[in-house]
Amino acid sequence: MINFRFHIVSLIAVFLALAVGIVFGATVVNRVIVDRLNDRIDRVEKNAERRKAESDELRGQVSQLQGYIDGSQDFAVTGRLNGVTLATLATRGVNEDAVVKTVELAQKAGARAPGVIWLEEKLTLSDNGALRQLGETLGRPNESARATRDAAWGSLANRLAAGNARGAGRDLLSVLADDGYISFQPVGNQGNNFSLADFPAGDVRVLLVDGTDGKIASNEVLAPLTNSLVANRLPVVAGEVFVEKDGGPDRGAMLTPIRTNDGLAQTVSTVDDLDLVEGRVGSVLALGDLSRNVVGQYGYGTGAKTSIPEWSTQ
């Protein structure tokens, strides 16, 4: 006769069997899972090693190409700006090294390029004192910041085109520098003992540089100043020094008001990569091409048509 003790023993035996099965089954399953995971890890490691090797190879190729560009830039621009006077205007805040290197390259191309005229942050006219002072200098007091700044662009463009009218009072460039609206940075030997009052007229071409880090809003500089320069019959290349930022504008976006303006796009060349060697070369070649009435939109950003001006003999 089966008693209660027999049931207890049977139940214990069943649970022991289940426990043993689970333990052995889990061991087998875990080994299979581990083997599969190890296989996947091995494949990932091999893929990573292959990608790294490809990346190293590409990096080496880029380095070789960059070395070629660096080594050939002087040759590419030789003689392109012989006899040309270059006025380089740059918004304070953009990468100084990129601007200075562009001026140095223009000098190697034969230009008279003594340095950089920096458009200082004071030109934002964000305080009443700066606004009033500039208005009085220009003979246009009590006007808005925009109207006063636009008048300053017009006067600046006229001064670059006409030169210093000796005997007609203090030179505008000198006055603006003394008041802190602009400053002059000499570059190389050409900048030695040079003053803004000596800036000549004649065959003057203008390189206007703005960028992502400019201290003055781009819509207050590029298009209005370019319009004033063109109105004074000055050949212009507008350049952008790009810095990539989260939520910032795309490369070339700052030049859009020029590139999309039918009038300006036909007379003003633009270069959106002065932060790169090829952009600096492109800007010098574009300045040279203006003598042949060749205008283009260069770089890699929005609105660019080709990366660099086509090679031509002059």
Side-chain angles (χ1 to χ4, degrees):
M1 184 175 186
I2 300 175
N3 56 26
F4 181 73
R5 184 178 298 176
F6 179 80
H7 284 292
I8 294 298
V9 172
S10 298
L11 287 172
I12 292 172
V14 169
F15 282 114
L16 284 174
L18 284 172
V20 171
I22 289 171
V23 169
F24 280 97
T27 302
V28 174
V29 171
N30 285 340
R31 184 176 295 114
V32 172
I33 292 174
V34 169
D35 290 342
R36 288 178 179 174
L37 289 175
N38 285 332
D39 289 341
R40 291 182 181 180
I41 291 171
D42 290 341
R43 287 197 299 270
V44 169
E45 289 178 344
K46 289 178 181 178
N47 286 335
E49 291 173 356
R50 185 171 65 254
R51 299 284 184 178
K52 183 179 182 301
E54 292 173 354
S55 178
D56 290 342
E57 182 178 358
L58 290 173
R59 191 177 293 108
Q61 292 175 2
V62 168
S63 179
Q64 289 178 344
L65 289 172
Q66 193 64 51
Y68 171 77
I69 293 172
D70 290 343
S72 62
Q73 60 178 326
D74 292 358
F75 170 77
V77 303
T78 298
R80 293 288 166 151
L81 296 176
N82 283 340
V84 172
T85 298
L86 178 63
T88 301
L89 309 176
T91 304
R92 178 64 72 187
V94 302
N95 185 280
E96 181 179 309
D97 188 55
V99 180
V100 170
K101 284 183 176 179
T102 305
V103 174
E104 291 174 340
L105 197 60
Q107 292 174 347
K108 292 174 181 177
R112 296 188 298 271
V116 183
I117 299 174
W118 288 100
L119 308 175
E120 298 294 348
E121 188 175 2
K122 191 174 181 180
L123 280 164
T124 59
L125 304 181
S126 56
D127 69 83
N128 292 331
L131 174 59
R132 182 176 58 257
Q133 184 183 33
L134 184 57
E136 291 173 352
T137 297
L138 299 173
R140 300 181 62 166
N142 304 319
E143 295 191 358
S144 67
R146 178 179 293 277
T148 302
R149 188 170 41 250
D150 288 348
W153 298 150
S155 298
L156 177 59
N158 181 264
R159 164 60 180 86
L160 293 175
N164 183 6
R166 303 287 181 179
R170 289 191 65 202
D171 177 59
L172 176 67
L173 294 179
S174 299
V175 173
L176 293 177
D178 289 344
D179 291 344
Y181 295 100
I182 66 173
S183 63
F184 178 71
Q185 178 181 355
V187 175
N189 293 331
Q190 291 191 26
N192 292 341
N193 301 316
F194 181 87
S195 70
L196 285 172
D198 297 327
F199 206 97
D203 184 11
V204 177
R205 299 179 199 179
V206 178
L207 174 63
L208 175 58
V209 182
D210 202 353
T212 315
D213 289 337
K215 299 296 185 181
I216 310 172
S218 62
N219 65 332
E220 297 174 349
V221 180
L222 279 176
L225 181 49
T226 298
N227 274 311
S228 294
L229 294 167
V230 170
N232 281 271
R233 301 184 181 279
L234 287 166
V236 181
V237 171
E240 175 186 322
V241 179
F242 178 71
V243 178
E244 187 171 2
K245 294 184 176 182
D246 291 339
D250 294 333
R251 182 183 292 276
M254 301 184 73
L255 297 171
T256 297
I258 297 174
R259 289 175 166 177
T260 58
N261 182 293
D262 291 339
L264 293 179
Q266 298 299 316
T267 56
V268 177
S269 290
T270 60
V271 183
D272 64 35
D273 55 347
L274 261 66
D275 47 295
L276 306 175
V277 175
E278 49 265 48
R280 297 192 281 273
V281 172
S283 66
V284 173
L285 295 179
L287 285 163
D289 277 350
L290 292 177
S291 63
R292 303 186 297 117
N293 296 318
V294 175
V295 173
Q297 317 305 324
Y298 307 111
Y300 302 100
T302 304
K305 303 300 183 184
T306 185
S307 60
I308 200 167
E310 294 183 1
W311 179 265
S312 63
T313 57
Q314 293 185 322

